[in-house]
């Protein structure tokens, strides 16, 4: 859920041949987003967003960054970003 995602494709690359969900995720992830943000912005269940992002990572369309937690403590910067994203909705 807190995994960060960003597009590996350049903005000028034609993505019109991809399925609409992939196109939307690539467009959203031109800025780094969490899987939870992707789920909320696309209005799809979290599980669906996780599968789509996982499939896209396997195909090389996006890159994943897993935040490291210090001794089980949450990353406050990540929590602030998620909260900010939720407020924008």
């Amino acid at each position: 859920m807190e995994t960060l995602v960003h597009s590996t494709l350049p903005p000028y690359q034609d993505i019109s041949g991809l399925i609409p969900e992939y196109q939307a995720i690539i467009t959203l992830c031109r800025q780094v987003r969490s899987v939870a943000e992707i789920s909320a912005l696309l209005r799809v269940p979290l599980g669906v967003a996780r599968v789509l992002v996982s499939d896209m990572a396997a195909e090389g369309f996006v890159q994943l960054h897993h935040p490291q937690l210090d001794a089980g403590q949450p990353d406050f910067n990540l929590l602030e970003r998620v909260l900010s994203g939720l407020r924008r909705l």
Side-chain angles (χ1 to χ4, degrees):
M1 182 166 74
E2 65 272 356
T3 298
L4 300 177
V5 183
H6 82 273
S7 173
T8 59
L9 302 178
Y12 56 82
Q13 186 166 345
D14 181 25
I15 58 173
S16 63
L18 301 176
I19 63 172
E21 292 84 0
Y22 280 18
Q23 292 177 28
I25 291 171
I26 288 169
T27 301
L28 284 174
C29 292
R30 297 214 192 280
Q31 297 178 339
V32 177
R33 307 267 185 186
S34 70
V35 176
E37 286 179 291
I38 294 167
S39 171
L41 292 169
L42 294 182
R43 298 179 186 219
V44 298
L46 182 58
V48 172
R50 290 174 66 187
V51 169
L52 287 169
V53 167
S54 176
D55 290 348
M56 291 178 72
E59 293 185 42
F61 296 135
V62 295
Q63 188 171 25
L64 307 179
H65 302 278
H66 302 282
Q68 296 186 7
L69 302 178
D70 296 329
Q73 297 297 316
D75 179 354
F76 288 107
N77 289 330
L78 173 64
L79 293 175
E80 287 176 8
R81 287 189 42 178
V82 171
L83 182 59
S84 174
L86 291 172
R87 285 184 178 143
R88 284 192 302 256
L89 296 176

